[in-house]
């Protein structure tokens, strides 16, 4: 075996692993860096390790240099850096936000398409593609974070305030239905046990779904308590008149 590909958190770590597997030293190989390490989006998702290719030199190439000279370390070939896409000053704010979402997908090796849908009172960026679960996250938390960042980027290129909603695989509608069903079940529990129920912390948008679903309920009412990001909805009995 005279060639091997290894990975590591850093290039140095990947090289060391390769040298150990080849049973050789630095001065007897050339190193080709296939992929630079990356922390990924927000340092949490899409993290990439460094990947290197080590090739053993021939005996002639790795021979000991004449006395008085300093042996060279292994040659390292780095890949050309790809320029990051940046929105130009005059770029459409919706296109800038869509470009950001695509860049995030690319950082995680996920190809996504973003459809910009303008509605009467809002604009929705619909994300489509494969393996979108990582972009949605647990209960939509990653999607909410992306939505927050997309709004910041879009408003950099807008003279007036705009609000964007990010959706993927119709997640928003499915999540709304899940929350409405949850609200009904917990309302019934409050009526049955005569004790109030506190829900888990939710985003303002999700709390609004719970409040809206139960606002006309004849026997229970809702209110929010706590501070962000731990603010939650409480369902309790209405006081009898």
């Amino acid at each position: 075996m005279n060639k091997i590909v290894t990975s590591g958190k850093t290039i140095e770590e990947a090289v060391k692993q390769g040298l150990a597997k080849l049973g050789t030293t630095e001065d007897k190989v050339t190193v080709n860096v296939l992929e630079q390490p990356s922390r990924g989006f927000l340092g949490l998702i899409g993290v990439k390790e460094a990947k290197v290719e080590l090739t053993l030199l021939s005996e002639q190439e790795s021979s000991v240099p004449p006395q008085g000279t300093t042996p060279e370390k292994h040659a390292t070939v780095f890949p050309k850096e790809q320029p990051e896409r940046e929105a130009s000053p005059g770029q459409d704010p919706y296109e800038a936000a869509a470009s950001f979402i695509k860049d995030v997908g690319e950082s995680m090796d996920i190809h996504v398409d973003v459809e910009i849908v303008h509605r009467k009172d809002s604009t929705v960026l619909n994300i489509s593609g494969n393996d979108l679960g990582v972009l949605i996250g647990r209960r939509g938390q990653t999607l909410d974070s992306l939505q927050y960042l997309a709004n910041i980027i879009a408003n950099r290129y807008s003279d007036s305030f705009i609000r964007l909603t990010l959706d993927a695989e119709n997640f928003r509608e499915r999540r709304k239905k899940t929350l409405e069903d949850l609200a009904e079940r917990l309302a019934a529990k409050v009526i049955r046990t005569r004790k109030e129920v506190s829900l888990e912390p939710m985003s303002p948008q999700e709390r609004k779904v719970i409040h809206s679903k139960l606002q006309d309920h004849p026997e229970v009412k809702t209110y929010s308590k706590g501070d962000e990001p731990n603010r939650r909805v409480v369902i309790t009995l209405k006081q009898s008149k």
Side-chain angles (χ1 to χ4, degrees):
M1 180 172 60
N2 60 3
K3 183 181 293 187
I4 191 171
V5 175
T6 56
S7 301
K9 293 181 180 180
T10 64
I11 292 174
E12 291 76 13
E13 181 179 310
V15 170
K16 287 181 180 179
Q17 289 187 26
L19 292 173
K21 290 181 179 180
L22 290 173
T24 188
T25 55
E26 290 184 74
D27 59 322
K28 295 180 180 179
V29 299
T30 58
V31 178
N32 180 23
V33 180
L34 302 177
E35 290 184 10
Q36 296 277 3
S38 171
R39 292 186 61 200
F41 175 62
L42 298 182
L44 298 174
I45 55 179
V47 176
K48 289 184 179 180
E49 291 190 331
K51 183 182 291 185
V52 300
E53 180 185 67
L54 275 64
T55 304
L56 279 172
L57 298 173
S58 65
E59 290 186 9
Q60 183 177 0
E61 291 174 312
S62 60
S63 59
V64 179
Q67 188 173 1
T69 63
T70 302
E72 294 182 357
K73 287 190 175 182
H74 61 269
T76 305
V77 182
F78 290 90
K80 293 181 179 180
E81 294 186 1
Q82 297 295 326
E84 295 184 359
R85 287 188 289 180
E86 294 185 0
S88 59
Q91 186 171 1
D92 177 84
Y94 305 105
E95 293 291 347
S99 179
F100 162 72
I101 299 302
K102 292 177 182 178
D103 285 343
V104 171
E106 287 182 7
S107 73
M108 296 182 287
D109 292 327
I110 301 173
H111 174 75
V112 299
D113 293 313
V114 181
E115 179 187 13
I116 303 172
V117 181
H118 295 287
R119 297 176 179 171
K120 183 178 180 180
D121 54 353
S122 65
T123 297
V124 178
L125 301 186
N126 281 323
I127 306 171
S128 60
N130 297 322
D131 302 322
L132 295 183
V134 68
L135 287 179
I136 295 173
R138 181 175 179 270
R139 297 176 180 172
Q141 291 177 346
T142 304
L143 191 64
D144 286 341
S145 297
L146 286 172
Q147 177 174 288
Y148 173 76
L149 295 173
N151 272 278
I152 291 177
I153 291 171
N155 279 282
R156 287 179 180 174
Y157 300 95
S158 176
D159 294 330
S160 58
F161 179 76
I162 59 177
R163 185 182 298 278
L164 301 176
T165 298
L166 257 61
D167 201 0
E169 298 179 337
N170 202 32
F171 172 80
R172 298 297 184 190
E173 189 60 35
R174 290 186 287 112
R175 180 62 175 165
K176 179 182 178 183
K177 179 65 167 56
T178 297
L179 292 173
E180 288 178 339
D181 291 345
L182 176 65
E184 289 182 340
R185 290 198 307 272
L186 293 181
K189 179 179 180 181
V190 169
I191 295 170
R192 184 177 67 256
T193 62
R194 317 304 291 179
K195 295 180 180 180
E196 68 179 29
V197 172
S198 294
L199 281 71
E200 65 181 12
M202 295 180 179
S203 66
Q205 294 82 3
E206 293 195 338
R207 294 199 302 270
K208 183 178 179 181
V209 172
I210 302 293
H211 291 312
S212 297
K213 183 63 180 178
L214 299 179
Q215 64 181 354
D216 297 323
H217 196 286
E219 298 184 64
V220 302
K221 62 182 179 179
T222 62
Y223 65 91
S224 294
K225 70 175 183 179
D227 300 320
E228 302 290 1
N230 296 313
R231 194 164 174 78
R232 64 188 66 211
V233 174
V234 177
I235 304 175
T236 186
L237 288 170
K238 287 182 176 179
Q239 293 182 349
S240 56
K241 296 182 180 178

